[in-house]
Amino acid sequence: MSLIVEFSHMTTFHCGEYTMFRKLSLRIKFTAVLLVFSLFPLLFCIAIMENRNGNFLHTEIEQGQLILADATSTKMADLLKGKAVMMTELIRTHAELFQSGEVDRIMPELRFMKSIDPDIFLMSYISPDGLSYHTTGYVYDLNLDPEGFELVTGPEVDRELIELHPSGERLIIVKAPIPGTNGKPIGNLAVMLQAQTLLEQIHDISLGETGSAYLLSEQGVYLAHREAGRLGQTMAETLAPEEAGRLTSTLLSEKQGGISYKERDGTLVEGAFSTVEMTGWRVVVIGEQGEILEPLIRSRAFTTTFVLIVVLLVVITGIWLSGFFLRSIVAMSALMRSAAQGDLSGRLVAGGTDEIDSLKRNINEMLNSLTQAFDARSELTRKLQLANSSLEEKVRERTLELEQANRWLEQQTLLDGLTGIANRKQFTETSHRMLDRSAEEGAELVLLLLDIDYFKRYNDTYGHVMGDECLKNVAGALQQEAEKHGALAARLGGEEFAVIAAMTEEGAVPLAGHLVERVRSLQIPHRDSKAAPYVTVSCGGVIYLPEAAQVAPPLETLIQAADEALYKVKSSGRNHYLFGDRGPSQVT
C-alpha cells in the first residue's frame, strides 16, 4: 500500500508544472508519460523473467532433443554411406570384371562379399538389359516392372523398407552404378541390408519417463516406433485432425528443427527432428509436453500474475491518458466518419500551435479540397455512365465469343491429337463415371486393353509417317467396332488403346473377338511381325462384377488386372485376346 502511495506522489503535478507540461509538443508528452507508466514495470518484468530462466530452459531442452536427433540421423546416414562406399570400392577394384558382364564370374565375388558382412541379407548384379542376378541364384527381369527399369547414375538408397513375409524381417536396398569405359553406367550393384541395426538405434533412445524417438519415411509413414501398431501407418493418422496438415508440412519439408503437436488421444508432445541423408527419412525425438515444460510452466505462472498486475496499471493509466490527450483525436475521428458518410460540411476548431492543432488545420483544408473535387466528380460520373452503357454491350458480345471459344477448346482437350478418338483424359473421366454407376446399380462392366503387336518394328521398317497412318487406321477401326456395341474407344498413348463398356460377360467376350478381328481385317502389311504378315493387336480384358450399392474399386485396379491379361496374351504368341485367368481365345 505504501508503494502505491509513493507512486501516486511521483505522478502528481503542481499547477505551474502542469501548465508547462501542456506547452510541450505531443511527442514529448507521450514519451514522458510512457516512460513513467510503462518503462519501469516493463524493466521489472524482464528482470523477473531473466531470473527464472524460463526461455533458456525451453531452448536447452529443444536443443538437446535436436542434438540427439541429429546425432542419430548422422549415424544412420554414415552407416548407409559406408555400404555405398564399400560397393563403389568393390566396383572400382574389380572394374574389368564388372565391365565384362560375365555373370558366372561376378556372382562368386558377390557371394564372398555377402559372407563377410553380417549386415548384408542379399546382393544382386543388374545387367544393362534389365536382368537382376541375386546371390540366391534367382534371376528376375526388371523390365517386367510396370514402372519400368532404369540404371542409377550414382549411389542411392531406396526410400522405403522392404518387409519379408512371413518372417517380418525388414530390409534396406542400397544401389551403386557400374561405369563403363566411357564413364556411363552399364549396370547396377545392389545390396539388401538388414534394417535391424538401424532401427535399434531408434528404439534405444529414451529421455525421462515419456521421452522416446521414432523414424518416418519421406511420405510420413512410420518406419520405426516403440508402439509396434503404428508401423506402416502415416503420421497424419495418429495426430489430432487439426494438427495433421500443419505438422506434416513442417516435418516433411524442413531438414531439421523443433516441433510441437497434439496426438489423436489428446497427448501434447514437444520434440525435434533431423533428416537422414540419402533417404529423406526423419529421426524424431519427442517427450510429453507436461514433463518437458513443467519447470517452465511454474516460472511462467508467476510471471503471468505479475504481468496481469502491470497490465491493470497500464489500463488505468490509459483511461486517464485518453481523457487528457485524445479529446482532439476523438473529435477528428467523428468528423472523418461524417465525411466518409458524405457530409463534408463539418470543420474543426484549431486555435493552438502544437501538432494536434496543425493536424486539424490540414484536415479542414483537405475537406475544402474534397468538396471541390466532389462537385467535379459528379459531372464526370454522368459522362462515364453514358460511356459505360455502350461498353457493357461490347463486353456482352465479347463474353459470348469467349464462351463459344472455351467450349471448342474444352472439346479439343478430350480428343487424341493424332487419331481423333478419345484421349487418356476423356477415357479416365468416363471410366470413373461408369465405375461409380456400375457399383451403385450392380451392373457388369468390361475393360479391354489393346496393344499393336510389334509396332516398334513396324516403325523401324516403314518409318514414322507410315506408323502414324497405321495408328490412325487401327484407331478408326477400334472406334467403329466399339460404337456398334455402345463402348468407348480411346488411345492411351503410343500404340496402346483401351475400350470400356457397360455389358455382361456374354457380350464382353464377342466384343474382344470383334475388335481383334476388325484390326486383322484391315490387312495392313507388316513383314517384320512374328504374329502375322499384317498388323494385328493383342487384347487383355477384365470383367467387373459388382454387388449392388458397393463402393467402386479404383480404376487403376481394373487397368492392372487387364494389363496382366494383356501380358499373358503377349507371352502366348499375341494376335488374340484373354480375360482374367482364362486360357487364350481361339480366333481364326
Side-chain angles (χ1 to χ4, degrees):
M1 186 66 183
S2 59
L3 179 61
I4 297 176
V5 173
E6 182 179 353
F7 184 79
S8 176
H9 287 185
M10 291 174 59
T11 57
T12 300
F13 294 91
H14 296 292
C15 183
E17 295 172 334
Y18 182 79
T19 303
M20 184 181 299
F21 182 77
R22 292 194 61 181
K23 293 181 180 180
L24 296 175
S25 68
L26 186 62
R27 179 181 299 176
I28 297 177
K29 294 174 186 176
F30 273 103
T31 301
V33 172
L34 290 176
L35 283 175
V36 172
F37 290 97
S38 299
L39 181 59
F40 294 126
L42 181 61
L43 291 176
F44 186 57
C45 181
I46 293 175
I48 292 177
M49 294 179 67
E50 288 295 330
N51 290 337
R52 300 297 295 181
N53 290 319
N55 290 333
F56 175 78
L57 174 63
H58 184 272
T59 302
E60 282 294 299
I61 293 173
E62 181 180 299
Q63 190 66 25
Q65 290 175 323
L66 183 59
I67 291 173
L68 184 54
D70 189 56
T72 304
S73 63
T74 301
K75 188 175 180 181
M76 295 174 71
D78 289 344
L79 177 60
L80 295 175
K81 288 179 182 178
K83 299 301 180 183
V85 170
M86 178 271 290
M87 295 166 62
T88 304
E89 184 64 19
L90 176 64
I91 294 171
R92 187 188 66 79
T93 56
H94 297 78
E96 183 179 351
L97 171 62
F98 286 110
Q99 290 171 359
S100 71
E102 298 179 10
V103 178
D104 292 339
R105 295 174 55 204
I106 293 173
M107 296 314 294
E109 185 65 29
L110 298 187
R111 293 189 186 98
F112 172 73
M113 289 300 301
K114 176 184 177 300
S115 66
I116 64 176
D117 192 334
D119 291 334
I120 297 178
F121 178 81
L122 179 72
M123 294 190 72
S124 63
Y125 161 68
I126 303 173
S127 63
D129 56 4
L131 293 179
S132 177
Y133 299 88
H134 295 186
T135 51
T136 60
Y138 178 71
V139 180
Y140 177 70
D141 189 350
L142 296 175
N143 294 301
L144 302 181
D145 190 332
E147 296 182 359
F149 159 69
E150 185 177 353
L151 296 175
V152 300
T153 58
E156 65 178 46
V157 180
D158 278 8
R159 302 303 175 96
E160 301 294 336
L161 299 180
I162 295 178
E163 184 171 343
L164 297 180
H165 298 286
S167 66
E169 186 168 8
R170 307 169 80 191
L171 305 176
I172 302 173
I173 299 180
V174 183
K175 300 176 183 177
I178 300 174
T181 55
N182 60 356
K184 295 183 178 180
I186 61 171
N188 284 351
L189 193 60
V191 297
M192 291 187 181
L193 302 174
Q194 298 180 15
Q196 189 62 28
T197 302
L198 286 175
L199 300 184
E200 285 178 353
Q201 298 180 34
I202 301 297
H203 296 151
D204 290 343
I205 294 177
S206 177
L207 295 173
E209 297 181 1
T210 63
S212 64
Y214 55 84
L215 183 66
L216 288 176
S217 73
E218 200 170 20
Q219 286 72 38
V221 177
Y222 287 106
L223 301 179
H225 198 282
R226 64 180 178 180
E227 298 178 14
R230 293 198 182 188
L231 298 181
Q233 287 187 312
T234 63
M235 188 177 188
E237 294 174 319
T238 65
L239 297 178
E242 67 273 12
E243 295 281 349
R246 176 189 66 81
L247 184 62
T248 303
S249 175
T250 300
L251 195 60
L252 301 182
S253 62
E254 303 292 337
K255 294 296 183 181
Q256 62 175 203
I259 55 173
S260 61
Y261 60 91
K262 181 170 67 175
E263 295 194 335
R264 195 172 292 273
D265 62 1
T267 303
L268 297 176
V269 174
E270 292 274 346
F273 67 94
S274 182
T275 302
V276 181
E277 293 184 23
M278 297 183 71
T279 65
W281 300 340
R282 266 63 170 179
V283 175
V284 187
V285 178
I286 61 170
E288 288 189 10
Q289 194 177 83
E291 179 184 10
I292 294 176
L293 302 181
E294 182 178 359
L296 181 59
I297 292 173
R298 290 198 304 267
S299 174
R300 286 179 175 173
F302 176 82
T303 303
T304 301
T305 302
F306 179 78
V307 169
L308 288 175
I309 296 174
V310 173
V311 168
L312 180 60
L313 292 175
V314 172
V315 168
I316 295 173
T317 304
I319 294 174
W320 179 80
L321 284 175
S322 64
F324 185 78
F325 289 104
L326 304 182
R327 289 189 184 94
S328 296
I329 295 177
V330 171
M332 287 187 286
S333 177
L335 178 64
M336 297 306 294
R337 183 165 54 250
S338 298
Q341 295 173 355
D343 182 9
L344 302 179
S345 61
R347 295 295 184 271
L348 296 169
V349 177
T353 58
D354 61 13
E355 288 86 345
I356 291 292
D357 288 316
S358 176
L359 178 59
K360 289 179 181 179
R361 285 189 289 272
N362 291 336
I363 291 176
N364 290 338
E365 293 175 2
M366 179 189 69
L367 291 175
N368 293 336
S369 299
L370 284 175
T371 301
Q372 298 174 4
F374 183 81
D375 294 338
R377 188 189 68 174
S378 298
E379 176 63 20
L380 179 61
T381 300
R382 186 185 66 80
K383 294 179 180 179
L384 287 176
Q385 287 174 346
L386 295 176
N388 283 341
S389 61
S390 175
L391 179 61
E392 288 174 357
E393 181 62 27
K394 294 181 180 179
V395 169
R396 281 194 295 270
E397 294 175 358
R398 184 58 177 166
T399 300
L400 180 60
E401 295 175 359
L402 289 175
E403 289 176 351
Q404 294 173 347
N406 287 335
R407 284 194 295 271
W408 182 84
L409 287 174
E410 182 178 359
Q411 183 181 10
Q412 295 304 307
T413 61
L414 299 177
L415 299 179
D416 179 61
L418 176 64
T419 64
I421 69 173
N423 60 11
R424 179 183 287 272
K425 178 181 178 182
Q426 185 177 354
F427 167 75
T428 302
E429 294 176 353
T430 302
S431 298
H432 281 305
R433 290 195 299 268
M434 294 178 69
L435 270 173
D436 292 338
R437 188 182 307 116
S438 177
E440 180 180 352
E441 300 174 357
E444 298 181 19
L445 191 73
V446 60
L447 173 64
L448 303 173
L449 294 183
L450 302 99
D451 202 305
I452 300 178
D453 297 326
Y454 302 105
F455 184 70
K456 183 179 184 302
R457 295 187 179 185
Y458 186 93
N459 271 337
D460 294 341
T461 302
Y462 299 97
H464 288 282
V465 175
M466 291 297 294
D468 289 346
E469 288 300 316
C470 176
L471 287 172
K472 293 177 184 178
N473 292 330
V474 171
L478 293 177
Q479 185 180 35
Q480 292 175 7
E481 193 63 36
E483 288 176 349
K484 292 179 182 179
H485 297 79
L488 172 70
R491 182 188 180 202
L492 301 184
E495 68 273 22
E496 300 177 5
F497 298 87
V499 174
I500 188 167
M503 62 174 54
T504 63
E505 182 176 1
E506 288 74 12
V509 175
L511 172 60
H514 290 323
L515 292 171
V516 174
E517 179 60 29
R518 182 63 182 269
V519 174
R520 186 188 295 115
S521 68
L522 296 176
Q523 296 288 307
I524 301 174
H526 189 355
R527 62 173 178 268
D528 203 21
S529 172
K530 294 183 179 181
Y534 40 80
V535 171
T536 59
V537 294
S538 297
C539 175
V542 61
I543 300 173
Y544 171 46
L545 306 173
E547 297 178 3
Q550 75 175 49
V551 178
L555 175 61
E556 291 75 11
T557 302
L558 295 184
I559 291 177
Q560 181 178 0
D563 194 53
E564 291 174 356
L566 178 60
Y567 174 76
K568 292 181 181 179
V569 173
K570 292 183 178 181
S571 301
S572 58
R574 311 193 186 207
N575 190 18
H576 59 269
Y577 64 87
L578 178 67
F579 280 84
D581 56 358
R582 304 175 185 176
S585 58
Q586 301 300 321
V587 180
T588 61

